[in-house]
Amino acid sequence: MSETTILTDIFRWLPFVLWGFALNILMSILAIMLGTAAGVFLGFGQISHVRLIGRISRLATQLFRNAPWLVLLFYCIFLMPYSFTVSGVTYNVPSWLRATLGFSVPVAANFSEIVRGAIGSIPKGQWEAAEVLGYTRTVTLFRIILPQCVTRMLPPWMNLYALLITATPLASIVGVDEALARTQAAVQSEVQPGFLIPMYLTLLTMFFLYAYPISRVSAALERRFQTV
Amino acid sequence: MRSATQDGALVSLRGVRKAFGSIEVLRGVDLNVAKGQVVAIIGPSGSGKSTILRTINGLTPVDHGVITVGDITVTDPRVDKVALRHRVGMVFQQYNLFPHKTVLENVAMAPIQVLGEPRRQVEERAKDLLAGMRLPEKALSYPGELSGGQQQRVAIARALCMQPEVILFDEVTAALDPEMVKEVLSAVRKVAEDGMTCILVTHEMRFAREAANRIYFTDKGVIVEQGEPKAFFENPRDPRTIEFLDKVL
Ligand SMILES: Nc1ncnc2c1ncn2[C@@H]1O[C@H](COP(=O)(O)OP(=O)(O)OP(=O)(O)O)[C@@H](O)[C@H]1O
Ligand SMILES: [Mg+2]
């Protein structure tokens, strides 16, 4: 009898948690977009022949890649202003948005390494052949090197995204009302014993169903590009 | 500039020195190549042959000396790189075709994108060149679908399409299976016979002897001996040349 009540309780809470999960997805999509854009620049910076740019980009990449995500999250949450004023109008920056920026920092650093690695995997002869034909370094990068890199960057980029979505519940620690926070709230408001474990299992399933296909596609792509 | 044209040299190296770190790779190289001439550089591995070629089109900057190609001073730090690339073509041992571009695009892209020539005109020329390399039906293939010998002939067409005045060939048959060496050598031969100035580094002694007007022999970063092919191969004078030829012939 108690199994059915647990199930009905879970179903009662499911929409509430799912809406929280939607926030996890929203944060992850925004963070992957921001992080990818910033990571492209950092990655180009790493291979720059301008020494200062190269140094700074490599330092930033290593720093943010090797720092715990939670620490970076704390930094972004507490260092960023809670609101800002543009021409008299004050905007509040909601905590989920600040958390999103916090996630995009390690994403950028990891993608920077993906970009650098992919560019480095193209034989040097490609650069030389282009140079001999009169192409500048920048034009060579965009017209000749990067088109060959895209397929190599796609699988690790998808893996990074899968990693990112599974990291988003960290935001609950800094008070973002996402899936984990909502699951905790559900567990606390139900007096019924034996509800805790199935409820968390539901949350796990949610993440698994979302992230696992991404990992599979990534692995399939990787195999496919290797054989070509 | 004037003197270069006066003594008839299209390419001229004067006292060229180059070190990588503490290793002196070129220790004073002088070399003159007249328009239409075919020059072969031979010598033991590591003697600086590739480095000589690479200094001529500015791929490797030199430490000392002056290099000119026509009225372009390659060693001038303010050299117009595009003008230099236009004038000097290069073909590599590893072909280095762009794998994501078709054969036709490989051949035609630089004249269009770098030199700004009209696409239709360049593509016509590229097709003619591919036909000249006996590859007319491969225009829309990708490099990965071609044999090594075919890829190298595309690379030669790509260099020619820039309409350079001189082409540098760096051991263009060294990466090929034996059965493809001949087709590429005869392609190079054809380029030379059409009047293109050629500087080629090669291990193919027979080819050097038949195709070149002049042979340079390098050892440890200097040119030890030079001469007409017949005299060079039949009557080498320097002991280092004699030793080398004994080994390879
Ligand atoms: N970029 C570089 N950095 C350091 N050393 C280099 C570099 N390029 C060439 N060298 C060195 O310079 C020397 C001459 O090299 P080079 O490639 O010109 O010789 P080569 O005569 O073409 O030899 P091979 O017949 O093997 O191609 C070699 O000892 C090589 O290791
Ligand atoms: Mg060499």
Side-chain angles (χ1 to χ4, degrees):
Chain A
M1 225 39 223
S2 85
E3 275 92 27
T4 49
T5 44
I6 286 175
L7 264 184
T8 36
D9 279 341
I10 286 177
F11 273 109
R12 202 154 42 78
W13 285 105
L14 198 57
F16 178 68
V17 177
L18 273 174
W19 275 112
F21 189 60
L23 186 56
N24 291 71
I25 294 176
L26 177 66
M27 286 193 294
S28 72
I29 288 174
L30 285 178
I32 194 81
M33 282 176 5
L34 282 170
T36 302
V40 165
F41 281 101
L42 262 186
F44 290 171
Q46 287 204 75
I47 60 157
S48 168
H49 278 185
V50 181
R51 214 171 270 166
L52 188 67
I53 294 179
R55 278 234 189 102
I56 292 174
S57 309
R58 279 188 292 273
L59 182 72
T61 301
Q62 289 310 323
L63 198 67
F64 295 135
R65 218 165 77 92
N66 296 303
W69 288 39
L70 188 55
V71 176
L72 295 173
L73 193 62
F74 274 134
Y75 259 92
C76 279
I77 290 279
F78 297 122
L79 284 185
M80 247 191 317
Y82 284 64
S83 64
F84 60 96
T85 307
V86 181
S87 57
V89 190
T90 302
Y91 300 91
N92 285 323
V93 186
S95 58
W96 68 266
L97 195 55
R98 278 182 283 135
T100 300
L101 288 173
F103 288 126
S104 61
V105 173
V107 169
N110 279 284
F111 195 63
S112 168
E113 276 298 274
I114 292 172
V115 169
R116 190 190 58 83
I119 293 174
S121 72
I122 303 295
K124 264 193 91 192
Q126 294 286 307
W127 289 94
E128 285 192 343
E131 189 177 352
V132 160
L133 291 169
Y135 288 98
T136 61
R137 246 180 89 77
T138 312
V139 176
T140 303
L141 179 65
F142 282 95
R143 285 197 194 250
I144 290 154
I145 306 299
L146 285 181
Q148 300 182 49
C149 288
V150 173
T151 53
R152 295 175 200 223
M153 292 192 293
L154 201 56
W157 180 78
M158 291 175 73
N159 279 336
L160 181 59
Y161 179 71
L163 205 67
L164 168 63
I165 186 74
T166 56
T168 50
L170 288 174
S172 65
I173 299 175
V174 292
V176 177
D177 188 26
E178 49 67 71
L180 177 62
R182 289 191 165 201
T183 304
Q184 279 168 336
V187 167
Q188 274 157 21
S189 61
E190 284 294 323
V191 281
Q192 194 181 173
F195 177 70
L196 186 142
I197 290 173
M199 195 62 220
Y200 276 109
L201 204 61
T202 311
L203 181 66
L204 269 185
T205 311
M206 240 176 249
F207 276 96
F208 180 79
L209 288 181
Y210 186 77
Y212 182 67
I214 297 172
S215 305
R216 294 299 308 177
V217 172
S218 159
L221 286 179
E222 198 159 10
R223 250 177 286 122
R224 170 126 170 254
F225 294 143
Q226 256 165 18
T227 53
V228 171
Chain B
M1 296 177 217
R2 194 108 187 89
S3 64
T5 32
Q6 265 168 8
D7 58 16
L10 174 62
V11 177
S12 137
L13 286 79
R14 296 258 165 284
V16 170
R17 293 177 159 272
K18 173 71 187 177
F20 289 109
S22 60
I23 306 159
E24 281 204 289
V25 175
L26 300 182
R27 301 182 297 142
V29 170
D30 296 290
L31 191 146
N32 280 311
V33 183
K35 197 168 169 46
Q37 216 178 19
V38 178
V39 164
I41 302 175
I42 64 174
S45 181
S47 60
K49 307 180 296 294
S50 300
T51 309
I52 292 175
L53 287 193
R54 296 164 58 86
T55 60
I56 294 173
N57 65 358
L59 270 184
T60 299
V62 304
D63 301 331
H64 292 285
V66 178
I67 301 172
T68 55
V69 175
D71 58 3
I72 298 177
T73 305
V74 182
T75 41
D76 182 344
R78 290 156 308 166
V79 63
D80 178 350
K81 280 276 160 82
V82 171
L84 177 64
R85 304 320 183 184
H86 189 175
R87 201 163 300 187
V88 184
M90 186 162 187
V91 184
F92 302 89
Q93 182 176 326
Q94 298 295 344
Y95 343 126
N96 295 343
L97 296 178
F98 305 130
H100 60 302
K101 298 278 179 189
T102 65
V103 163
L104 184 65
E105 286 169 334
N106 262 280
V107 176
M109 64 191 280
I112 297 168
Q113 293 171 353
V114 177
L115 305 179
E117 294 176 18
R119 171 176 295 272
R120 277 208 16 222
Q121 192 183 317
V122 175
E123 286 186 346
E124 279 306 304
R125 187 163 81 226
K127 282 177 189 157
D128 288 347
L129 287 168
L130 286 173
M133 289 287 137
R134 293 184 295 108
L135 291 165
E137 73 287 1
K138 297 290 184 195
L140 301 180
S141 306
Y142 283 88
E145 302 162 358
L146 271 55
S147 74
Q150 292 173 326
Q151 288 191 53
Q152 193 58 295
R153 284 183 281 144
V154 173
I156 295 171
R158 178 171 74 174
L160 284 168
C161 201
M162 289 288 276
Q163 301 184 302
E165 289 181 30
V166 51
I167 299 188
L168 315 171
F169 295 88
D170 192 358
E171 296 193 34
V172 293
T173 57
L176 294 173
D177 292 334
E179 70 269 21
M180 295 168 189
V181 170
K182 227 174 122 187
E183 66 183 56
V184 171
L185 287 184
S186 56
V188 176
R189 189 94 189 246
K190 180 173 173 298
V191 173
E193 277 163 5
D194 288 346
M196 179 61 68
T197 311
C198 297
I199 306 178
L200 29 105
V201 169
T202 184
H203 284 308
E204 304 281 338
M205 294 304 144
R206 226 179 66 131
F207 176 71
R209 183 170 182 163
E210 287 166 8
N213 313 118
R214 198 153 190 90
I215 312 282
Y216 283 78
F217 177 75
T218 56
D219 189 36
K220 299 197 175 73
V222 288
I223 288 169
V224 175
E225 186 165 356
Q226 54 168 300
E228 309 264 308
K230 193 168 149 57
F232 178 89
F233 283 107
E234 285 170 13
N235 269 318
R237 260 170 269 141
D238 193 281
R240 287 165 288 187
T241 321
I242 296 169
E243 194 198 331
F244 177 78
L245 291 179
D246 267 348
K247 267 190 230 154
V248 296
L249 287 183

